[in-house]
């Protein structure tokens, strides 16, 4: 017998011979098979798309800029989400059981939290990079160097690792309700992040809301400055006669276009992950009553952010499209291909 979600209503357990086994909700084949095909396609596209970004920036010397090193590290995050987080999450979501043991569940959840936090830290630093490029162009070369970008990358990964490890392995997520959790919530075959009200609030503030509000504020400022610059450039184009002035116009236009593209990356991230974080914050208030299907859907919406990022790059950046062609046809293996001039407008 089926319910409205396409699951059978018969009682099943993840491990029939184990005490405290989690309940298993079985999807019928007509629903489970298409979902597997869709999610496998998402995983393949996520891995391949971000691999193209990584190879492009790493291979072509023209792309070795502070901004692109941050984008490269962000693509590594998205690649790990696609290659390491999505596959076991797909099995957990569609089989509704975790078959990989408690230790791997802790490792998986720790890395999941770390990668999500790393993403938003990267986007925060990218917004700072774009602020200086658009709003303080005379200071950009001295303020944002390759060393500064690499320092931002190290900070993003290090702080995120501390947050993920502390939250999961030190069990700060259930601090104060350990007995209640292991007696009433924990079951064998489950792998879902449970947090107390305090834990969810603090971790969400540090890892999502504070960096998110900071990014929104910075990009609003960038938008206002970019509008003023666009008006000034329009006047300059009509009046300018010197070649030196005409050379500054494409450069300023390129910086604004990059800010727009990376602003859309930030917007996509916030749209994909905000529902999941709101669910995590509200779940303790409603006695952890969020339906598993709804929670899995919101988590996968967050994961799709890693799939969308290469699409944004492909739409905005001609260098990405040209690099993709060279990678597909093996031209990057030719001598001096790393010195190829890519269009970056």
């Amino acid at each position: 017998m089926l319910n409205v979600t396409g699951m059978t209503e018969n009682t099943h357990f993840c491990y029939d011979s184990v005490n405290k086994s989690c309940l298993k909700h079985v999807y019928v084949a007509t629903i489970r098979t298409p979902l597997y095909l869709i999610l496998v396609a998402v995983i393949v596209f996520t891995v391949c798309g971000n691999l193209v970004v990584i190879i492009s920036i790493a291979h072509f010397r023209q792309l070795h800029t502070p901004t692109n090193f941050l984008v490269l590290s962000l693509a590594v995050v998205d690649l790990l989400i696609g290659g390491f987080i999505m596959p076991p999450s797909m099995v957990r979501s569609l089989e509704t059981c975790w078959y990989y043991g408690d230790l791997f569940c802790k490792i998986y959840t720790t890395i999941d939290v770390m990668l999500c936090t790393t993403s938003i830290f990267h986007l925060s630093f990218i917004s700072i990079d774009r602020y200086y490029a658009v709003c303080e162009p005379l200071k950009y070369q001295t303020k944002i160097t390759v060393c500064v970008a690499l320092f931002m990358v190290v900070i993003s990964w290090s702080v995120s690792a501390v947050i993920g490890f502390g939250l999961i392995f030190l069990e700060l997520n259930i601090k104060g309700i350990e007995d209640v959790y292991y007696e009433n919530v924990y079951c064998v075959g489950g792998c879902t992040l449970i947090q107390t009200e305090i834990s969810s609030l603090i971790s969400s503030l540090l890892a999502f809301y504070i960096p998110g509000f900071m990014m929104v504020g910075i990009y609003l400022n960038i938008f206002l400055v970019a509008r003023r610059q666009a008006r000034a450039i329009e006047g300059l184009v009509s009046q300018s006669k010197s070649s030196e002035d005409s050379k500054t116009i494409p450069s300023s236009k390129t910086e604004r276009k990059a800010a727009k593209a990376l602003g859309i990356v930030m917007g996509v991230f916030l749209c994909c992950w905000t529902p999941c974080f709101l669910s995590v914050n509200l779940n303790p208030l409603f006695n952890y009553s969020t339906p598993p299907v709804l929670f899995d859907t919101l988590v996968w919406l967050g994961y799709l952010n890693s799939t969308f990022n290469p699409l944004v790059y492909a739409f905005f950046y001609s260098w990405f499209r040209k690099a993709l062609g060279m990678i597909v046809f093996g031209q990057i293996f030719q001598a001096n291909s790393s010195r190829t001039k890519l269009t970056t407008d």
Side-chain angles (χ1 to χ4, degrees):
M1 186 175 181
L2 300 178
N3 58 24
V4 293
T5 64
M7 296 179 178
T8 60
E9 294 184 347
N10 298 326
T11 302
H12 300 272
F13 293 93
C14 296
Y15 298 95
D16 292 329
S17 60
V18 177
N19 292 330
K20 288 184 69 72
S21 174
C22 297
L23 288 173
K24 177 181 175 69
H25 303 282
V26 181
Y27 285 99
V28 295
T30 53
I31 293 178
R32 182 172 56 179
T33 301
L35 286 177
Y36 264 118
L37 293 175
I38 292 171
L39 294 183
V40 167
V42 167
I43 291 170
V44 171
F45 188 88
T46 302
V47 171
C48 293
N50 285 288
L51 200 56
V52 170
V53 177
I54 294 169
I55 294 173
S56 300
I57 297 176
H59 181 73
F60 296 104
R61 294 187 181 184
Q62 184 190 357
L63 302 180
H64 292 181
T65 65
T67 306
N68 284 338
F69 283 131
L70 289 168
V71 172
L72 170 63
S73 187
L74 180 61
V76 172
V77 173
D78 291 334
L79 176 68
L80 291 175
I81 289 176
F84 184 84
I85 298 299
M86 285 186 180
S89 183
M90 174 183 65
V91 176
R92 182 199 63 189
S93 298
L94 298 183
E95 301 298 330
T96 68
C97 288
W98 180 263
Y99 294 117
Y100 310 110
D102 289 344
L103 177 59
F104 187 68
C105 175
K106 284 191 172 184
I107 296 173
Y108 160 86
T109 309
T110 299
I111 296 176
D112 193 3
V113 171
M114 184 187 76
L115 293 177
C116 176
T117 307
T118 305
S119 291
I120 198 164
F121 282 170
H122 275 75
L123 291 172
S124 299
F125 285 129
I126 288 174
S127 67
I128 294 173
D129 170 272
R130 291 297 87 198
Y131 172 82
Y132 276 102
V134 175
C135 304
E136 302 283 349
L138 298 179
K139 298 180 181 179
Y140 181 74
Q141 296 293 336
T142 57
K143 291 287 186 179
I144 308 296
T145 64
V146 172
C147 290
V148 170
L150 294 178
F151 178 75
M152 291 176 176
V153 169
V154 172
I155 289 295
S156 297
W157 285 93
S158 301
V159 175
S160 301
V162 170
I163 292 175
F165 181 84
L167 197 64
I168 307 302
F169 273 90
L170 299 183
E171 296 191 343
L172 297 180
N173 61 310
I174 57 172
K175 188 173 180 60
I177 62 166
E178 293 89 345
D179 293 339
V180 175
Y181 171 75
Y182 284 109
E183 290 178 9
N184 302 321
V185 178
Y186 171 79
C187 59
V188 180
C191 185
T192 302
L193 178 61
I194 301 293
Q195 292 185 263
T196 63
E197 295 178 29
I198 298 296
S199 170
S200 65
L201 178 61
I202 293 176
S203 61
S204 297
L205 283 173
L206 292 176
F208 186 76
Y209 293 115
I210 292 176
F213 280 116
M214 183 187 78
M215 286 191 299
V216 170
I218 290 175
Y219 267 100
L220 284 175
N221 195 7
I222 292 174
F223 175 73
L224 295 175
V225 171
R227 286 186 63 183
R228 290 198 298 268
Q229 289 180 348
R231 294 194 188 100
I233 289 174
E234 287 176 3
L236 186 63
V237 168
S238 61
Q239 300 176 6
S240 175
K241 296 180 180 180
S242 68
S243 60
E244 182 179 352
D245 288 337
S246 64
K247 289 179 181 178
T248 63
I249 294 170
S251 175
S252 182
K253 181 180 178 181
T254 299
E255 296 293 0
R256 292 199 312 276
K257 184 174 182 180
K260 181 179 179 180
L262 295 170
I264 290 177
V265 170
M266 178 205 73
V268 170
F269 178 89
L270 294 177
C271 290
C272 287
W273 279 108
T274 298
C276 182
F277 274 91
L278 288 176
S279 174
V280 169
N281 295 142
L282 294 175
N283 202 26
L285 300 178
F286 292 95
N287 198 28
Y288 306 101
S289 58
T290 302
V293 174
L294 174 60
F295 187 77
D296 276 342
T297 301
L298 296 180
V299 169
W300 272 97
L301 176 62
Y303 292 159
L304 284 176
N305 170 74
S306 299
T307 310
F308 294 147
N309 282 345
L311 291 175
V312 176
Y313 303 142
F315 183 81
F316 278 96
Y317 292 133
S318 57
W319 65 256
F320 180 90
R321 298 189 293 273
K322 185 172 181 179
L324 174 61
M326 293 184 67
I327 292 171
V328 169
F329 292 104
Q331 295 175 352
I332 62 171
F333 299 109
Q334 296 177 0
N336 295 321
S337 63
S338 63
R339 299 179 182 274
T340 301
K341 184 71 173 177
L342 301 175
T343 303
T344 57
D345 57 356

